[in-house]
């Protein structure tokens, strides 16, 4: 008769997932005014710092509009001063004064709009980034809102993994003890990563949840968005703190009537049935709880043919 020893639970707390590297965020840069592009400093793949001047639209038409608006504002101010003096002498009506004030206020607003449009002719880097793609060439006419370049924020490296719904559900309430990541092509060195966020709804097709981890950039680990990586996650605590492991073939019974195992009594060379509660099945092993203990032997083959107190002879194999 073939027997197997009741053993402790193997490590179900560590999981490894394929991952895809991504940027913290990806932004398409565009102007808020239209005009001819006369200067660009956008080299694909280059690193840029926050505040760097990246592109300029021909400023001359906008500068002329600012000068024009200033002239009109000065004219409106002179006219308002004249009307106010005449109003004080009762030479013009209240409506004439109100009209002059409105013209002056509109001229102030027009100048502010012109100055704002002039400021929009220069495009600066909103954060430290990498130029992912240049979308418009120099000397092109660009319309407002048209993307001219795509920037990626790589101040941190993001690792995106997909966790099966069954695995996430089975481990609800367990915190992350530690997590690490490495290149998919070279797993000799692992680097610590931290949890960032996870989706709360599964993908409708794959039924997986996206989980994101982050790491500070490392010179010795050349990772760019889109690269393939691996993330290893260890969870806190244990799902089966009181469980033990037996072969799946040692189980008799079913889910409706319950499961049991046949335990060997070494002194009498007989077997006795013990009811067990099956907590988890992984491959060819089962995690169970019940009146059995480490080191006891259970029938691992032919369990369905056993009877209570049946005499058995352990199989020792050929020498």
């Amino acid at each position: 008769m073939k027997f197997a020893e009741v053993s402790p639970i193997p490590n179900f707390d560590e999981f490894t997932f394929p991952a895809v590297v991504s940027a913290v965020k990806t932004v398409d840069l565009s102007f808020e005014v239209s005009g001819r592009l006369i200067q660009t400093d956008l080299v694909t793949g280059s690193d840029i710092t926050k505040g760097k001047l990246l592109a300029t639209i021909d400023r001359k038409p906008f500068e002329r509009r600012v000068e024009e608006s200033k002239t009109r504002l000065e004219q409106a101010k002179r006219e308002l001063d004249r009307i106010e003096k005449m109003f004080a002498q009762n030479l013009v009506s209240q409506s004439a004064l109100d009209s002059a004030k409105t013209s002056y206020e509109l001229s102030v607003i027009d100048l502010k709009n012109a100055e704002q449009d002039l400021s929009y002719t220069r495009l600066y880097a909103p954060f430290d980034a990498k130029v992912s793609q240049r979308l418009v060439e120099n000397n092109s006419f660009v319309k407002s809102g048209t993307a001219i370049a795509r920037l990626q924020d790589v101040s941190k490296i993001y690792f995106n993994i997909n966790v099966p719904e069954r695995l996430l559900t089975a481990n609800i309430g367990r915190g992350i003890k530690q997590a690490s990541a490495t290149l998919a092509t070279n797993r000799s060195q692992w680097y610590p990563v931290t949890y960032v966020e996870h989706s709360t709804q599964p993908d409708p097709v794959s039924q997986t949840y996206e989980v994101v981890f982050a790491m500070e950039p490392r010179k010795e680990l050349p990772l760019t968005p889109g690269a393939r990586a691996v993330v290893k996650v260890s969870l806190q605590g244990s799902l089966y703190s009181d469980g033990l492991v037996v072969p799946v073939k040692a189980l008799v019974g079913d889910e409706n009537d319950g499961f049991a195992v046949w335990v060997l009594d070494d002194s009498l060379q007989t077997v006795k049935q013990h009811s067990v509660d099956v907590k988890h099945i992984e491959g060819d092993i089962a995690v169970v709880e019940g009146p059995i203990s480490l080191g006891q032997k259970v029938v691992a083959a032919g369990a369905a043919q056993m009877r209570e107190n049946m005499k058995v002879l352990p199989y020792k194999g050929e020498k």
Side-chain angles (χ1 to χ4, degrees), residues 129-151:
K130 183 180 290 291
V131 180
S132 171
Q133 191 175 5
R134 184 177 63 251
L135 303 173
V136 175
E137 295 302 326
N138 200 16
N139 295 314
S140 301
F141 183 86
V142 294
K143 293 184 178 180
S144 61
T146 300
I148 67 164
R150 183 163 295 145
L151 302 185

Side-chain angles (χ1 to χ4, degrees), residues 60-129:
K60 292 180 181 178
F62 299 91
E63 290 171 345
R64 287 195 294 268
R65 185 187 165 193
V66 169
E67 292 302 318
E68 181 181 338
S69 298
K70 287 181 178 179
T71 301
R72 288 179 177 175
L73 177 61
E74 291 171 357
Q75 181 182 4
K77 182 65 170 64
R78 289 193 298 269
E79 181 66 12
L80 176 59
D81 291 343
R82 187 179 69 83
I83 295 297
E84 285 178 336
K85 290 178 181 178
M86 294 178 66
F87 181 76
Q89 300 173 6
N90 294 320
L91 297 176
V92 295
S93 64
Q94 179 68 45
S95 61
L97 177 62
D98 291 342
S99 178
K101 286 182 177 179
T102 300
S103 295
Y104 173 75
E105 291 169 355
L106 290 175
S107 296
V108 172
I109 294 173
D110 186 59
L111 175 58
K112 289 182 179 179
N113 288 336
E115 291 174 336
Q116 185 179 58
D117 286 347
L118 177 61
S119 70
Y120 287 157
T121 59
R122 287 175 175 164
L123 204 56
Y124 298 90
F127 48 80
D128 292 347

Side-chain angles (χ1 to χ4, degrees), residues 12 48 53 58 63 68 70-71 86 95 100-101 113 143-144 174 192-193 202 205 274 281 312 319:
F12 288 136
I48 56 176
L53 178 62
D58 185 2
E63 290 171 345
E68 181 181 338
K70 287 181 178 179
T71 301
M86 294 178 66
S95 61
K101 286 182 177 179
N113 288 336
K143 293 184 178 180
S144 61
R174 302 179 69 190
V193 294
V205 177
H274 292 279
I281 293 179
V312 294
K319 296 183 180 180

Side-chain angles (χ1 to χ4, degrees), residues 199-270:
S199 59
T200 57
Q201 292 185 333
D203 182 274
V205 177
S206 63
Q207 290 300 299
T208 59
Y209 292 84
E210 184 179 60
V211 183
V212 181
F213 291 87
M215 179 182 70
E216 296 293 333
R218 292 175 176 267
K219 292 183 179 179
E220 71 272 22
L221 191 64
L223 289 172
T224 56
R228 297 291 173 177
V230 179
V231 171
K232 183 165 56 179
V233 181
S234 296
L235 301 181
Q236 295 175 342
S238 175
L239 286 175
Y240 320 105
S241 56
D242 299 324
L244 296 169
V245 169
V246 298
V248 170
K249 292 182 179 179
L251 298 174
V252 292
D254 55 43
E255 292 182 359
N256 295 326
D257 298 328
F259 291 96
V261 293
W262 291 98
V263 179
L264 173 67
D265 184 332
D266 279 322
S267 60
L268 301 176
Q269 293 293 292
T270 60

Side-chain angles (χ1 to χ4, degrees), residues 14-17 178-182 190 193 213 230-234:
E14 186 175 276
F15 305 91
T16 301
F17 304 92
Q178 63 180 18
S180 55
T182 189
W190 292 81
V193 294
F213 291 87
V230 179
V231 171
K232 183 165 56 179
V233 181
S234 296

